[in-house]
Amino acid sequence: TGSRPKLVVSADGHGVVSHAGSRLLADLADATSLTAAFTDALRRLRPRGTGHDPGRIAVDLAVMLADGGEAIADLALLRDQGEVFGPVASTPTAWRLLAGINPAALAAMRAARATAREVAWLQAAETNNGIPAARAGGRGLPGLVLDIDATLVSCHSEKEQTAPTYKRGFGYHPMLCFLDNTGEALAGLLRPGNAGANTAADHITVLEQALAQIPDAQRHGTDILIRTDSAGGAKAFLHHIRALRSRGIRACFSVGHPVTELVRRAIRALPEQVWHPALEQDGTLRHGAQVAELSGMVDLDGYPADTRIIVRRERPHPGAQLSLFDMDEGMRHQVFLTDTPYGEGSVQQLEVRHRAHARVEDRIRCGKSTGFGRFPSRHFQINAAWLELALTGVDLLAWTQTLLLEGELATAEPKKLRYRLLHAAARITRGGRRLRLRISAAWPWRHELTSAFTRLAALPRPAT
């Protein structure tokens, strides 16, 4: 083995760019009409029609967050590579844009995201097989699956509406909704740190915002499953989901439920022969776990009609937090409610479908590395706009995987996408009246990146 070659380092290179793969995200925002939609939504912030386009600034901020940036000052990476990203606003200009986004402009941005999402889904239908199915128990789930969950974001300085959290921290407590089919971030509601996790009104607000993001053809013509943990089991929220059917939305729910005394009595009364083996996410049997239905044994008065209650028990893994009931029984129990009718899946399939809600924890973890893990301002409204741009960055990554990537990278987490594609270095050359981006011939994922740019160029564009 030899030592590494000795280098002489200088900062005088020309025609060399880094993060070249992030141009893919910027071009995809244009191809899905996101940039144009943001421009229309934020037009009032450019009253004289001069200076930087506010829609373009918003897209550049979303691209920066998708690329892994954490602060508004990180726009410098795009701004200082004008040959790749074009003119990019200064940091003070970006601050002024965020400060000018009031609740009306924020609502317009959400509508702009819905417009771009419809274009992206139409492009997926024309170039692939449309939006992929969510999976659980080794099979695809019909329709769309929405996962709602809240998370804590710590803040280390005083900001508007930050407050102590139930975990003895300090910060915000946003509630989010992700589409399990693709990983898109449909909606997010920034809330104070002391906001309740089981507030029905907030669940309804987030769900309505998420439904508004789904194109009309899918919202009214596709089965929609809403999953939450036990915090979403409020009766008012479940009745709201049931009422969606009167609006032509075929919605059903699968929500966690606490193990109350009535539930414990019902579990103890179950005969052993009604327990069935549980399933893993690949469809194989789950060792040491069984499921059973408790419907008719637990009083569900006040819940929507035909609500079912199902329980899973399994041998606890090392370190599991057990209740006194679990320790007495020697098994860990988890219970959930669903209004999926009989005949549309066995209890094993319904249980493994609900357990797949845990994927939302991964979505949130990745989302925190894409912008909403920290908030830049002391002002609540600016931070709410920042959350919306972070969700836009999550969408750009999800659309990139759905429309432009294949194989392992089509399901990779953002960290891997950044390392392999977005942060690739390249060289800028000119010739034949063209500007060329030359990716290193030794880059291990050069073919995946160039293929993604080729697919992007071939995407159908909306008529103008």
Side-chain angles (χ1 to χ4, degrees):
T1 59
S3 61
R4 297 184 181 90
K6 295 183 179 180
L7 300 175
V8 177
V9 180
S10 63
D12 54 1
H14 295 283
V16 179
V17 295
S18 64
H19 294 235
S22 294
R23 172 62 187 264
L24 195 68
L25 303 177
D27 286 351
L28 183 59
D30 296 342
T32 57
S33 75
L34 178 65
T35 306
F38 271 171
T39 296
D40 291 339
L42 303 175
R43 190 178 301 278
R44 69 166 190 84
L45 300 181
R46 193 185 187 189
R48 296 187 301 272
T50 59
H52 288 275
D53 177 359
R56 173 71 180 277
I57 299 173
V59 166
D60 286 340
L61 284 168
V63 170
M64 177 269 291
L65 292 173
D67 188 54
E70 295 183 333
I72 297 176
D74 291 336
L75 267 180
L77 187 141
L78 276 62
R79 183 169 56 250
D80 293 342
Q81 299 188 109
E83 288 181 311
V84 177
F85 297 103
V88 176
S90 65
T91 299
T93 301
W95 269 110
R96 286 194 296 272
L97 172 79
L98 290 174
I101 298 178
N102 58 20
L106 192 61
M109 288 179 65
R110 293 187 179 119
R113 290 180 57 218
T115 299
R117 193 179 318 279
E118 184 174 15
V119 173
W121 287 23
L122 288 172
Q123 290 170 334
E126 292 196 23
T127 57
N128 298 318
N129 295 319
I131 298 301
R135 297 190 64 81
R139 63 179 64 187
L141 301 178
L144 304 176
V145 180
L146 277 57
D147 286 313
I148 299 177
D149 200 7
T151 185
L152 299 175
V153 178
S154 298
C155 297
H156 302 286
S157 62
E158 288 284 350
K159 303 179 189 293
E160 284 183 352
Q161 298 194 35
T162 50
T165 68
Y166 70 93
K167 287 191 175 181
R168 301 182 180 180
F170 184 83
Y172 289 121
H173 192 187
M175 185 172 289
L176 305 148
C177 179
F178 289 86
L179 179 68
D180 190 47
N181 301 62
T182 60
E184 294 170 65
L186 297 181
L189 178 65
L190 189 62
R191 309 185 302 162
N194 57 1
N198 59 348
T199 307
D202 290 344
H203 278 85
I204 292 172
T205 298
V206 171
L207 176 59
E208 287 296 329
Q209 290 180 4
L211 291 174
Q213 288 291 315
I214 300 174
D216 286 343
Q218 285 79 15
R219 184 167 64 246
H220 295 287
T222 305
D223 293 333
I224 298 177
L225 172 68
I226 295 101
R227 295 188 302 206
T228 74
D229 55 18
S230 58
K235 296 177 183 178
F237 178 56
L238 301 185
H239 279 288
H240 181 81
I241 296 175
R242 176 61 60 84
L244 292 174
R245 299 180 185 179
S246 64
R247 293 159 46 185
I249 300 174
R250 303 204 303 259
C252 62
F253 58 79
S254 180
V255 302
H257 187 72
V259 182
T260 62
E261 179 60 29
L262 291 176
V263 172
R264 290 193 285 269
R265 291 176 185 173
I267 292 174
R268 284 194 167 116
L270 282 174
E272 194 65 28
Q273 60 265 27
V274 304
W275 291 95
H276 304 282
L279 301 177
E280 294 282 7
Q281 290 300 332
D282 61 1
T284 60
L285 295 181
R286 185 177 178 89
H287 179 70
Q290 299 89 35
V291 298
E293 183 153 4
L294 298 173
S295 301
M297 302 180 66
V298 178
D299 182 15
L300 295 178
D301 184 45
Y303 287 94
D306 301 321
T307 296
R308 302 166 62 185
I309 180 169
I310 297 172
V311 59
R312 181 183 91 250
R313 69 178 185 184
E314 65 179 333
R315 295 292 178 188
H317 61 270
Q321 295 182 355
L322 303 178
S323 66
L324 291 176
F325 172 73
D326 290 338
M327 287 189 287
D328 184 49
E329 293 289 314
M331 304 286 277
R332 185 185 183 193
H333 297 82
Q334 291 185 315
V335 180
F336 70 98
L337 306 176
T338 182
D339 62 346
T340 300
Y342 290 97
E344 295 188 10
S346 65
V347 289
Q348 296 103 313
Q349 292 165 345
L350 297 180
E351 190 278 327
V352 74
R353 183 189 71 176
H354 177 76
R355 197 171 353 119
H357 170 69
R359 285 196 287 259
V360 74
E361 301 292 346
D362 293 329
R363 313 282 190 205
I364 290 174
R365 174 175 51 81
C366 293
K368 286 183 175 180
S369 71
T370 313
F372 62 77
R374 56 181 296 176
F375 291 94
S377 176
R378 293 180 293 108
H379 302 289
F380 182 82
Q381 194 58 45
I382 291 179
N383 290 334
W386 182 266
L387 174 61
E388 200 66 28
L389 292 174
L391 301 183
T392 305
V394 174
D395 283 348
L396 287 175
L397 291 173
W399 295 340
T400 298
Q401 293 180 296
T402 301
L403 297 171
L404 309 179
L405 299 178
E406 293 179 340
E408 179 186 7
L409 290 177
T411 57
E413 290 193 351
K415 181 178 180 180
K416 181 177 290 186
L417 286 181
R418 292 170 187 142
Y419 186 83
R420 295 188 177 188
L421 297 186
L422 303 186
H423 295 178
R427 186 162 55 92
I428 292 286
T429 63
R430 292 177 175 81
R433 297 184 179 180
R434 290 184 177 183
L435 192 65
R436 299 179 182 274
L437 187 67
R438 296 188 176 275
I439 299 163
S440 171
W443 186 249
W445 303 280
R446 60 192 180 279
H447 298 303
E448 288 85 348
L449 185 54
T450 54
S451 296
F453 275 105
T454 301
R455 293 191 186 97
L456 175 62
L459 283 180
R461 298 315 200 256
T464 56

